[in-house]
Amino acid sequence: EDLYLLLQQIQRDHPDIAGVSSGAILSTYQRTRIEHVCSRLNLTSLSYMWRMSSQRSVLNSILDDGGIDAVLVRVACPPGLMPYRHLGKSLRDLRDRGILDQLKDRWGMHLAGEGGEYETLVVDCPKLFTHGRLVLDETEVICDESDDGVGILRIVKCSVEKKNVKEESAHFHLDNGGGTCQKQVTEQVQKAKLDLSTVADETSIAANVTTPIHQSMHLPNVRMMNGGLCHISALLSPIACNQQDDEAEAAVQEFLSIRQMLQTIISRTFPNDQPPTSPQDVLYVHLYLSQISHFAKINQHYQQFFGTQLPPSRSCVAVGKGALPGGRRVMMDCILQRGSGGYLRSDGNTSGDGEKCDTFLEKALQNKHHSLRKTLHVQSISHWAPVCIG
């Protein structure tokens, strides 16, 4: 809640703020906490380092490719890192002297401090600190009396040492060797957007907008599989919407029809399931749109239906105008696993008759259809997602 209040104040002071960048490397707890706060404040979470690579590679990239100079300002890793010995030391120096590797081999310490072993203060970053670097003129070590081996570095006095901008810039570009990994990722994303725009233009030209819309009923396919799985495919609005003045709104109306159809199919296919099978049990969605520009409006209703807490995995593809059956704008396939979703969102509150609701594990054990469902929901813009998608 402290983070929420802080970012809320920052938004008031700086209304143009649109996102929050965090340094979470491995911890799902850190990432999801920031994502939750960002969703409440309508901000974009940026976690480019999360699960990017091994901690050693991340640390080397930060120090070498990024040219960052950072010092330890908090340690909580007894008997490895000690307050009076390591606070104020350069992270680069500890790495180059092999101290971090020794602590990892002996005590299992995370090289990048992801387990809370240490925290750092950046005193120089050539790409951002273009005019000067931070100098810690006077510091003191404060130890936590209640927790042996935990200490912080209190900065009593600091100053800014001015740089020779031309020399620093030339030195940084030389060390970079042609650019960082992040620059390459950005260029790839921009190229993909350009390719997508070109394809969209070509498909819109190829599609004859005067083609009459086939106003036909279309029944989805329902296939039962082992393990409580059910595949529901070719979910289309029964009738293509004729609203031509606002294509995005017409697509929304079709999606609302699909949403209602899915709810009806689930309730009629599994009428006796206890707990009842519901859209919360959908674990994968493949959404087809005639135009990717419809996504933003449809996504608002999608979130209302599937929720934002542990929603199903989703892929969304723009197939081009006129490509879907009957001239429709939206089609959806999904896979659900009976009884797999409700207990993931159980908050442990008491039920109406005063009895405490079953825990996650109890509900999972009562489920006769399949084993525990495991979910990873990443909302941040990160290096991890494109790598996993391919």
Side-chain angles (χ1 to χ4, degrees):
E1 198 64 26
D2 290 343
L3 179 61
Y4 174 82
L5 295 175
L6 174 62
L7 291 177
Q8 193 177 49
Q9 181 61 48
I10 293 174
Q11 276 188 310
R12 285 194 290 264
D13 297 340
H14 306 278
D16 56 335
I17 294 293
V20 176
S21 180
S22 64
I25 296 173
L26 183 66
S27 171
T28 297
Y29 167 76
Q30 291 182 15
R31 176 184 54 77
T32 53
R33 178 172 177 259
I34 295 170
E35 288 175 349
H36 177 64
V37 172
C38 286
S39 65
R40 292 164 64 190
L41 295 173
N42 196 30
L43 294 170
T44 299
S45 173
L46 307 174
S47 297
Y48 288 111
M49 292 194 298
W50 193 76
R51 303 291 176 98
M52 185 176 70
S53 57
S54 68
Q55 293 206 42
R56 182 185 300 278
S57 298
V58 170
L59 182 61
N60 291 340
S61 177
I62 292 171
L63 297 178
D64 298 332
D65 295 341
I68 287 177
D69 186 12
V71 298
L72 271 61
V73 294
R74 183 179 185 274
V75 294
C77 184
L81 293 173
M82 303 304 294
Y84 287 101
R85 183 183 304 172
H86 297 112
L87 282 175
K89 299 296 184 183
S90 165
L91 181 61
R92 182 189 305 277
D93 182 58
L94 294 176
R95 181 204 62 174
D96 293 345
R97 290 167 54 194
I99 293 177
L100 296 181
D101 285 315
Q102 293 174 15
L103 296 177
K104 176 182 179 297
D105 295 339
R106 186 172 182 180
W107 306 107
M109 188 192 86
H110 288 253
L111 289 174
E114 186 68 359
E117 294 89 345
Y118 64 84
E119 295 177 12
T120 60
L121 171 69
V122 175
V123 295
D124 192 17
C125 177
K127 203 167 187 179
L128 295 177
F129 303 171
T130 56
H131 298 290
R133 70 188 311 275
L134 186 65
V135 177
L136 306 183
D137 299 312
E138 184 180 348
T139 61
E140 65 174 330
V141 174
I142 300 177
C143 292
D144 188 343
E145 296 179 356
S146 63
D147 197 349
D148 187 32
V150 177
I152 62 172
L153 184 72
R154 178 174 175 266
I155 301 172
V156 180
K157 184 180 178 182
C158 63
S159 60
V160 175
E161 181 182 278
K162 292 185 178 181
K163 295 180 177 179
N164 185 322
V165 179
K166 292 183 179 180
E167 290 182 4
E168 185 69 29
S169 177
H171 174 71
F172 177 70
H173 286 300
L174 179 62
D175 287 347
N176 253 344
T180 62
C181 175
Q182 183 54 48
K183 180 181 177 182
Q184 295 172 0
V185 172
T186 303
E187 290 174 349
Q188 291 172 4
V189 171
Q190 291 174 344
K191 183 179 182 300
K193 287 182 177 179
L194 181 62
D195 293 343
L196 179 60
S197 176
T198 303
V199 172
D201 290 341
E202 292 174 353
T203 53
S204 63
I205 293 173
N208 186 354
V209 295
T210 62
T211 302
I213 296 178
H214 181 53
Q215 302 287 336
S216 64
M217 296 293 290
H218 187 93
L219 298 177
N221 301 313
V222 180
R223 184 164 67 96
M224 306 301 296
M225 298 180 289
N226 295 331
L229 293 170
C230 176
H231 184 211
I232 305 174
S233 60
L235 280 161
L236 291 158
S237 174
I239 298 176
C241 183
N242 269 327
Q243 188 174 352
Q244 298 293 335
D245 54 337
D246 190 343
E247 283 288 306
E249 187 58 36
V252 167
Q253 295 304 316
E254 290 187 18
F255 176 75
L256 293 177
S257 297
I258 291 173
R259 199 173 73 171
Q260 182 60 45
M261 181 181 294
L262 176 60
Q263 181 74 65
T264 302
I265 291 173
I266 291 175
S267 60
R268 291 184 179 179
T269 306
F270 311 106
N272 301 318
D273 278 1
Q274 289 299 328
T277 297
S278 72
Q280 287 188 336
D281 297 313
V282 175
L283 52 86
Y284 178 75
V285 169
H286 198 154
L287 192 63
Y288 304 87
L289 303 179
S290 62
Q291 300 178 60
I292 199 63
S293 58
H294 299 164
F295 175 79
K297 283 191 174 181
I298 289 177
N299 195 47
Q300 297 175 7
H301 299 276
Y302 181 96
Q303 290 179 339
Q304 292 174 4
F305 186 61
F306 288 109
T308 57
Q309 182 186 6
L310 301 180
S313 301
R314 175 181 65 185
S315 61
C316 181
V317 179
V319 295
K321 207 169 183 180
L324 295 176
R328 291 170 176 82
R329 301 164 182 84
V330 184
M331 185 172 77
M332 188 169 78
D333 299 342
C334 65
I335 297 176
L336 64 84
Q337 200 167 33
R338 297 160 63 188
S340 68
Y343 61 77
L344 286 175
R345 300 164 178 83
S346 174
D347 58 4
N349 294 330
T350 56
S351 58
D353 55 6
E355 295 182 359
K356 187 173 179 60
C357 293
D358 294 331
T359 63
F360 171 94
L361 183 58
E362 290 171 340
K363 289 195 175 184
L365 293 175
Q366 291 172 7
N367 188 344
K368 300 178 181 179
H369 304 297
H370 69 282
S371 58
L372 287 172
R373 171 182 170 186
K374 298 179 180 178
T375 301
L376 177 64
H377 182 206
V378 181
Q379 300 180 73
S380 300
I381 296 176
S382 65
H383 175 84
W384 176 86
V387 171
C388 291
I389 295 171

